[in-house]
Amino acid sequence: MDARESWRRYGPRPVGADLDEIRALLREHTARERRAQGEGDTELMRLCCFQLFNSGDLDDVLLIWSAKQASFDAACSIDIEFLLGHGLDATKAHLSANRAPSATAALDRLRELEAYGEFEGFSVEERSAGYDRYYVD
């Protein structure tokens, strides 16, 4: 499945079992991309992260972070804002409660970007609408 097919099948706001399929797709392509840059489909990974962003499930934050960390290409393709589907404060609180090294790394990066003003005026709804336009065009 590529990004175009995933968009047609799941749309921007999948629910239920579709989210489980998207998570599985993201895990698969993240593993492939970790094995060798270019082996995973980073465009599909980006779309999966957007779809998970729209679901707003805090349990997806580390999955998205893992995908972003899979390779240089993935890091460039997957926006850090995809971690924030439930909002910046909720995401930071969620990561703070998790002792995993990946949670600490993600939280440190969010705090660093926040200190630079990266998230000023951030709105989940506005960001989602912007991504909707990106994928429809």
Side-chain angles (χ1 to χ4, degrees):
M1 176 179 304
D2 64 9
R4 196 169 289 151
E5 184 180 346
S6 179
W7 180 262
R8 279 194 304 270
R9 182 171 183 176
Y10 303 116
R13 289 167 188 74
V15 293
D18 288 347
L19 285 169
D20 292 334
E21 290 177 25
I22 289 165
R23 290 179 186 110
L25 247 150
L26 183 57
R27 283 186 189 96
E28 174 193 342
H29 282 271
T30 297
R32 291 169 64 180
E33 189 65 14
R34 280 191 194 286
R35 277 194 300 274
Q37 184 166 309
E39 190 175 315
D41 182 341
T42 55
E43 185 178 336
L44 175 60
M45 291 167 67
R46 177 184 169 86
L47 176 58
C48 289
C49 291
F50 167 61
Q51 291 164 322
L52 294 175
F53 166 85
N54 276 334
S55 78
D57 189 337
L58 287 168
D59 289 333
D60 291 326
V61 170
L62 288 179
L63 176 60
I64 295 167
W65 178 253
S66 176
K68 184 168 180 57
Q69 300 303 304
S71 71
F72 178 80
D73 286 352
C76 293
S77 296
I78 299 170
D79 298 344
I80 191 78
E81 288 87 358
F82 287 142
L83 299 177
L84 307 178
H86 205 75
L88 178 60
D89 291 336
T91 301
K92 290 189 319 184
H94 176 74
L95 292 170
S96 294
N98 190 320
R99 300 286 183 225
S102 59
T104 301
L107 180 59
D108 288 348
R109 184 66 178 143
L110 287 175
R111 286 180 174 156
E112 177 184 6
L113 292 170
E114 183 180 27
Y116 290 129
E118 182 76 23
F119 305 120
E120 284 186 29
F122 174 82
S123 158
V124 172
E125 295 78 18
E126 286 177 21
R127 184 61 73 164
S128 180
Y131 288 124
D132 280 346
R133 288 188 298 276
Y134 172 83
Y135 281 107
V136 169
D137 290 343

